[in-house]
Amino acid sequence: MLYGGIEAGGTKFVCGIGNPQGEVLDKLVIPTTAPKETLSKVVEYFMQVQSEHSLNGLGLASFGPLDLNPHSDTYGFITSTPKQKWQHVNIKGELEKALNCEIYFDTDVNAAALAEHRWGAGIDKNNVVYITVGTGIGGGALVNGQLLHGLLHPEMGHMRLGENNAKSDFAGVCPFHKNCLEGLASGPAIEAQWGIPAEKLPDDHPAWEMEAKYLAEGIANIILILSPEIIILGGGVMRQRKLFPKIHKHVQALLNNYIQKPEIVENIEDYIVPAKLDKHAGLLGAIALALNEGES
Amino acid sequence: MLYGGIEAGGTKFVCGIGNPQGEVLDKLVIPTTAPKETLSKVVEYFMQVQSEHSLNGLGLASFGPLDLNPHSDTYGFITSTPKQKWQHVNIKGELEKALNCEIYFDTDVNAAALAEHRWGAGIDKNNVVYITVGTGIGGGALVNGQLLHGLLHPEMGHMRLGENNAKSDFAGVCPFHKNCLEGLASGPAIEAQWGIPAEKLPDDHPAWEMEAKYLAEGIANIILILSPEIIILGGGVMRQRKLFPKIHKHVQALLNNYIQKPEIVENIEDYIVPAKLDKHAGLLGAIALALNEGES
């Protein structure tokens, strides 16, 4: 049983094939340039794959915002992304036409939540939140074992935080929202606040405590609104493992014993955890979408 | 087909019977005193009902926090409520034992979301958020047509807001959380901020604009995290219909066209709406729980 996956990212597309055990058997990285050029390379890759293997399904995990409403005229489109060339691109439809097969489609972060549920930190949990903290901040979720959609899909990175953590005159780097989580705590936000890229900041720099406070505030709100059974943090910034104990401490302080569950008041280190699939996270997310639909 | 419902509230219990059309056929209000006294009156009412009618199911919509995990030792209990006499009361178990029937049990706000989905403002929507704004603030939700639980259940009233709206030295009335939605925007919070009970404030008082800002900030975060298809607002404070256009304006300003859906950017008055079942909301919620389980 082989499944294909396409991780569509703002800087690169990752195409590959994997099996139901979550092993990646082949992989190709394609830089994200103009839609026509990038998508034609994706098609070329899977034409080659299809000539050698029979795929049981193909999944596409994409940056967004996306139109995931099957009843909409623009179902399968990337919609209002700041990446101008990719606005209103019918990514699902064009790939399906060229490859002559159905493609299972969702946001990169919903797909990552699904992959962590299947093979990673969220096994045995039916209510999973996955948050990526990198060049942007995004969140996906499984609720009662199903991907969370609704009107659109979660855009957790844009929730508004309190201002008390911020350096006095810093309202974030998000062009849409003052004091939103992504604007205050993404990689570019760290660099904008401190003048140094995150990966060059020393371990004892005050930036890390503030970063943990921002993320904790966002996570506390997610707990109060969505009540997940586990919160999984991935993305480049979260490779800084020193953030985890700080986040745990601040989430407990913010919730202040209001939610009296041992997962939060006692064993929070098993409740807010690093992603396990970080290496192939996006690609495995796409493969998990194909597997998920194949089974449903 | 008749169904029984129990709305368990902090000041009163409402017991009654209704039909699948959402009509309430009988109703009794019991003041909330000590658990033993109150519950024995509930039992007495339903003993009488059972002697006259055959009920197809009995639902219980309760104030919380509740233990809704069927695998827990304290499943069916009210847990860490500030109402001391009601802490750790096995409300579901005691009523089931006395009445010798299964009781379908959830939070008052999840039950209200379900009732609005069945008979009220959320018909035809499978992703519904219901928020009550009264002596407290609580939120319930349906996601993909199922009630939202997870680790616990939503406690949306306790999400933290930014401080910029607050009167300079006011951090809210919540004993647990500084600057949380309930602490800043519940009925008691309005009175604490302005020294006048909400229902006595004139229509042009600045309190209303601030109240709308608080609620809009909470609602914007809920949209970004949960992506509901409709947000239904009930409870005593929301009887002030003048709040709705103010909330619509502030939610649009906060989201700032980031979520380009007509429901938000064009027709927000059909997206953030008053509860339709306000009169019997709690009781109909309890009856909806019984109906829901009967069908599943």
Side-chain angles (χ1 to χ4, degrees):
Chain A
M1 299 276 274
L2 289 179
Y3 292 83
I6 305 161
E7 173 194 6
T11 56
K12 64 179 197 290
F13 274 52
V14 183
C15 301
I17 53 179
N19 63 23
Q21 291 75 48
E23 291 158 338
V24 170
L25 307 172
D26 189 53
K27 185 169 155 174
L28 175 72
V29 177
I30 298 164
T32 305
T33 57
K36 207 172 170 178
E37 184 181 23
T38 306
L39 296 181
S40 72
K41 287 179 184 163
V42 172
V43 169
E44 197 181 317
Y45 173 78
F46 281 104
M47 295 279 242
Q48 180 64 32
V49 165
Q50 284 172 333
S51 73
E52 292 167 17
H53 307 282
S54 163
L55 292 183
N56 290 73
L58 182 54
L60 168 61
S62 180
F63 66 97
L66 305 177
D67 186 338
L68 297 172
N69 176 2
H71 305 295
S72 158
D73 290 343
T74 53
Y75 173 53
F77 282 52
I78 295 174
T79 59
S80 55
T81 172
K83 296 174 229 307
Q84 292 223 351
K85 287 180 187 166
W86 288 85
Q87 280 176 4
H88 312 297
V89 166
N90 181 7
I91 184 167
K92 177 180 188 293
E94 291 191 16
L95 290 171
E96 283 183 336
K97 204 171 133 192
L99 292 167
N100 195 28
C101 69
E102 188 170 0
I103 293 179
Y104 304 106
F105 176 58
D106 215 306
T107 63
D108 44 9
V109 280
N110 262 352
L114 192 64
E116 289 285 340
H117 166 67
R118 186 174 278 275
W119 301 299
I123 288 173
D124 296 331
K125 304 274 195 298
N126 282 320
N127 294 277
V128 173
V129 164
Y130 173 91
I131 302 168
T132 179
V133 186
T135 52
I137 295 183
L142 244 73
V143 174
N144 290 323
Q146 293 186 287
L147 291 169
L148 178 59
H149 294 149
L151 180 68
L152 181 71
H153 47 70
E155 282 286 350
M156 302 187 192
H158 293 274
M159 83 173 99
R160 187 189 179 90
L161 303 185
E163 287 168 287
N164 55 324
N165 299 330
K167 292 181 76 171
S168 59
D169 55 349
F170 184 70
V173 299
C174 173
F176 289 92
H177 309 112
K178 200 177 145 204
N179 298 310
C180 79
L181 178 58
E182 174 172 299
L184 292 169
S186 62
I190 297 173
E191 182 165 355
Q193 276 173 96
W194 303 98
I196 306 170
E199 61 274 20
K200 293 195 179 157
L201 285 168
D203 277 359
D204 60 352
H205 194 283
W208 298 117
E209 197 69 31
M210 188 179 288
E211 176 71 7
K213 274 191 188 174
Y214 289 140
L215 293 173
E217 204 176 321
I219 289 167
N221 282 351
I222 289 168
I223 293 170
L224 292 161
I225 293 173
L226 251 180
S227 199
E229 293 170 286
I230 191 160
I231 296 172
I232 302 167
L233 305 178
V237 172
M238 297 318 300
R239 297 211 181 98
Q240 309 277 345
R241 287 294 193 266
K242 60 182 170 283
L243 281 169
F244 281 86
K246 295 182 205 291
I247 290 170
H248 295 151
K249 179 187 68 178
H250 289 299
V251 168
Q252 286 179 327
L254 284 164
L255 294 177
N256 195 22
N257 287 320
Y258 183 73
I259 299 198
Q260 290 182 11
K261 296 290 286 186
E263 289 83 349
I264 293 174
V265 296
E266 291 165 23
N267 308 313
I268 196 166
E269 65 280 3
D270 300 324
Y271 181 67
I272 301 170
V273 300
K276 276 200 178 160
L277 307 175
D278 226 16
K279 197 181 157 201
H280 298 301
L283 178 56
L284 284 173
I287 290 168
L289 290 174
L291 265 157
N292 197 46
E293 288 297 328
E295 288 166 2
S296 73
Chain B
M1 300 275 274
L2 289 179
Y3 292 84
I6 305 161
E7 173 193 7
T11 56
K12 63 179 198 289
F13 274 52
V14 183
C15 302
I17 52 179
N19 63 22
Q21 291 74 49
E23 292 159 338
V24 170
L25 307 172
D26 189 52
K27 183 168 156 175
L28 175 72
V29 176
I30 298 164
T32 306
T33 57
K36 208 172 167 177
E37 186 181 22
T38 306
L39 296 182
S40 72
K41 287 179 184 161
V42 172
V43 169
E44 197 181 318
Y45 173 78
F46 281 104
M47 296 278 244
Q48 181 64 33
V49 166
Q50 284 172 333
S51 74
E52 293 168 17
H53 307 281
S54 163
L55 291 184
N56 290 72
L58 182 54
L60 168 60
S62 180
F63 68 95
L66 307 177
D67 186 339
L68 298 173
N69 176 3
H71 306 294
S72 159
D73 290 343
T74 54
Y75 173 54
F77 282 52
I78 294 174
T79 59
S80 55
T81 172
K83 297 174 228 307
Q84 292 223 351
K85 288 179 188 168
W86 287 85
Q87 279 176 5
H88 311 297
V89 167
N90 181 7
I91 185 166
K92 177 180 189 294
E94 291 190 16
L95 289 171
E96 283 183 337
K97 205 172 131 190
L99 291 168
N100 195 28
C101 69
E102 187 171 1
I103 294 179
Y104 304 107
F105 176 59
D106 215 306
T107 62
D108 44 10
V109 279
N110 262 352
L114 193 65
E116 290 284 342
H117 166 68
R118 185 174 279 275
W119 301 299
I123 287 173
D124 296 331
K125 303 273 195 297
N126 283 319
N127 295 277
V128 173
V129 164
Y130 173 89
I131 302 168
T132 178
V133 186
T135 54
I137 295 183
L142 243 74
V143 174
N144 290 323
Q146 293 185 287
L147 290 169
L148 178 58
H149 294 148
L151 179 69
L152 182 71
H153 46 70
E155 281 287 351
M156 300 187 194
H158 293 274
M159 83 173 99
R160 188 190 180 88
L161 303 185
E163 287 167 287
N164 55 324
N165 299 330
K167 290 182 76 172
S168 59
D169 56 349
F170 184 70
V173 298
C174 174
F176 289 91
H177 309 113
K178 198 177 146 203
N179 298 311
C180 78
L181 178 58
E182 174 170 300
L184 292 170
S186 61
I190 297 173
E191 182 164 355
Q193 277 173 95
W194 304 97
I196 307 170
E199 61 274 20
K200 293 196 179 157
L201 286 168
D203 277 358
D204 60 352
H205 194 283
W208 299 117
E209 197 69 30
M210 189 178 288
E211 176 71 7
K213 274 191 187 175
Y214 289 141
L215 294 173
E217 203 177 320
I219 289 167
N221 282 351
I222 289 167
I223 293 169
L224 292 163
I225 293 173
L226 250 181
S227 199
E229 292 170 285
I230 192 160
I231 296 172
I232 302 167
L233 304 179
V237 172
M238 297 318 301
R239 296 210 183 98
Q240 308 277 345
R241 288 293 193 268
K242 60 182 170 283
L243 282 169
F244 281 86
K246 295 184 204 291
I247 291 169
H248 296 151
K249 178 188 68 176
H250 288 299
V251 168
Q252 286 179 327
L254 284 164
L255 294 177
N256 194 23
N257 287 320
Y258 183 72
I259 299 197
Q260 290 183 10
K261 296 289 286 185
E263 290 84 349
I264 294 174
V265 296
E266 290 164 24
N267 308 313
I268 196 166
E269 65 280 4
D270 299 325
Y271 181 66
I272 301 170
V273 301
K276 276 201 178 160
L277 307 174
D278 226 16
K279 196 181 160 203
H280 298 301
L283 179 55
L284 284 173
I287 290 168
L289 289 175
L291 265 158
N292 198 45
E293 288 297 328
E295 289 167 359
S296 72

